[in-house]
Amino acid sequence: MAQKKAQPPKSVRLYVLDGGSLNIPDTSPYQLKKEELATTYMSVVSFLIAHPRGALMWDAGAVPDTGFKPGGGPGTLRYATSPKTLTAQLAEIGYTPSDIAYLTFSHFHWDHVGNGNLFAGATWLVKKAERDVMFSDPPSPRTEPANFSALKNSKTVFITKDDYDVFGDGTVVIKAAPGHSPGHQVLFLKLAKTGPVVLSGDLYHYPEERKLNKIPTTEFDAAQTAASRASVEAFLKKTGAQFWIQHDFTAMAKIKKAPEFYD
Ligand SMILES: [Zn+2]
């Protein structure tokens, strides 16, 4: 059945797209023992933010849509498994990838950029330091360059400020939170009914990292991570925003997924 094309909403909507899970082979880089964790699995989610003036994708999953076999069944990449293509989930809410005006990633690691190529027609919002590492030679082993190679020629806006207000009305603000990667960032959303929400990127992975104050051993710059965490925690306190840890398997299992939305 042909889907109706999505119309711009009257106020900001947040759709959660299910990118499946990561079966983490070894938790020691997180400085956490198996016994300290509710589960060793991590969730993978990406987000479509529908604003009256355009749509923004925040992250793009781990498994590219091209990693699904034509016969059906889940797609896989490294230790990620995804139940359904991103294109199919977008179609369910009336979007094609070419309807997306803006693309930004929390950071460049493989489990966040899987479907980067789908959004080559969007304007890419990125810190220069992050883009540089994405196209470095040799490439970082922490990413899959083939999954975002089409962005090399995309219209690109370099974010130079700590707070980047995407639509100029304070409802969708990209906030610098470096450390996990050179240009790691989190996303602040002001939703009319839900209230303020911050999407974590990988500022934390497991909720226990936050509780037990553990910083992974594999950060780009651990001191920067500590400073970014302190700044985001202060911001959460000040704004009363909900904080969604994107890899928190238990929490993400409970939130509404597209076609449902938060507004
Ligand atoms: Zn991640």
Side-chain angles (χ1 to χ4, degrees):
M1 193 176 75
Q3 271 285 331
K4 232 182 126 190
K5 197 173 162 64
Q7 297 302 310
K10 294 265 184 290
S11 66
V12 181
R13 284 184 183 182
L14 172 63
Y15 290 96
V16 184
L17 304 158
D18 184 3
S21 61
L22 304 175
N23 184 2
I24 301 299
D26 175 16
T27 64
S28 63
Y30 301 95
Q31 305 209 58
L32 289 162
K33 296 187 193 71
K34 257 185 167 169
E35 311 82 75
E36 293 175 298
L37 294 165
T39 172
T40 59
Y41 277 83
M42 292 183 188
S43 49
V44 175
V45 283
S46 54
F47 301 85
L48 186 152
I49 297 96
H51 185 279
R53 289 201 290 281
L56 166 76
M57 275 300 301
W58 172 260
D59 285 344
V63 181
D65 288 1
T66 53
F68 286 75
K69 292 191 186 72
T76 59
L77 178 67
R78 302 194 193 188
Y79 44 84
T81 305
S82 178
K84 201 173 180 185
T85 65
L86 192 56
T87 304
Q89 294 181 59
L90 290 174
E92 243 185 288
I93 51 174
Y95 287 85
T96 65
S98 58
D99 294 327
I100 306 301
Y102 300 100
L103 167 69
T104 193
F105 304 115
S106 60
H107 65 297
F108 76 98
H109 292 167
W110 67 276
D111 57 310
H112 297 259
V113 298
N115 280 296
N117 286 338
L118 283 182
F119 305 105
T123 296
W124 182 20
L125 311 173
V126 64
K127 284 254 165 57
K128 185 173 182 301
E130 193 79 358
R131 189 186 183 282
D132 285 348
V133 75
M134 292 173 80
F135 293 111
S136 66
D137 185 18
S140 163
R142 302 198 65 171
T143 196
E144 294 282 349
N147 290 345
F148 57 79
S149 55
L151 300 181
K152 196 153 195 177
N153 301 312
S154 291
K155 187 178 170 196
T156 301
V157 171
F158 287 123
I159 298 176
T160 54
K161 291 188 291 187
D162 283 351
D163 282 347
Y164 183 86
D165 186 342
V166 178
F167 298 99
D169 63 359
T171 59
V172 182
V173 181
I174 298 169
K175 297 179 74 63
H180 185 58
S181 71
H184 180 271
Q185 45 194 17
V186 301
L187 188 66
F188 172 71
L189 300 167
K190 212 159 127 186
L191 301 172
K193 287 193 203 127
T194 307
V197 176
V198 172
L199 307 180
S200 68
D202 282 8
L203 190 66
Y204 305 91
H205 306 77
Y206 292 115
E208 290 86 351
E209 271 172 71
R210 190 181 184 198
K211 219 176 307 164
L212 302 172
N213 197 22
K214 302 279 187 171
I215 292 182
T217 57
T218 49
E219 298 292 273
F220 166 72
D221 184 329
Q224 271 189 351
T225 297
S228 291
R229 284 182 176 185
S231 141
V232 170
E233 294 291 354
F235 179 78
L236 293 170
K237 215 167 203 179
K238 189 182 79 180
T239 56
Q242 297 180 44
F243 186 50
W244 291 8
I245 298 178
Q246 295 178 211
H247 282 313
D248 181 343
F249 190 83
T250 310
M252 291 301 104
K254 288 181 195 150
I255 63 169
K256 290 186 283 193
K257 306 293 183 326
E260 291 185 87
F261 59 85
Y262 292 89
D263 62 356

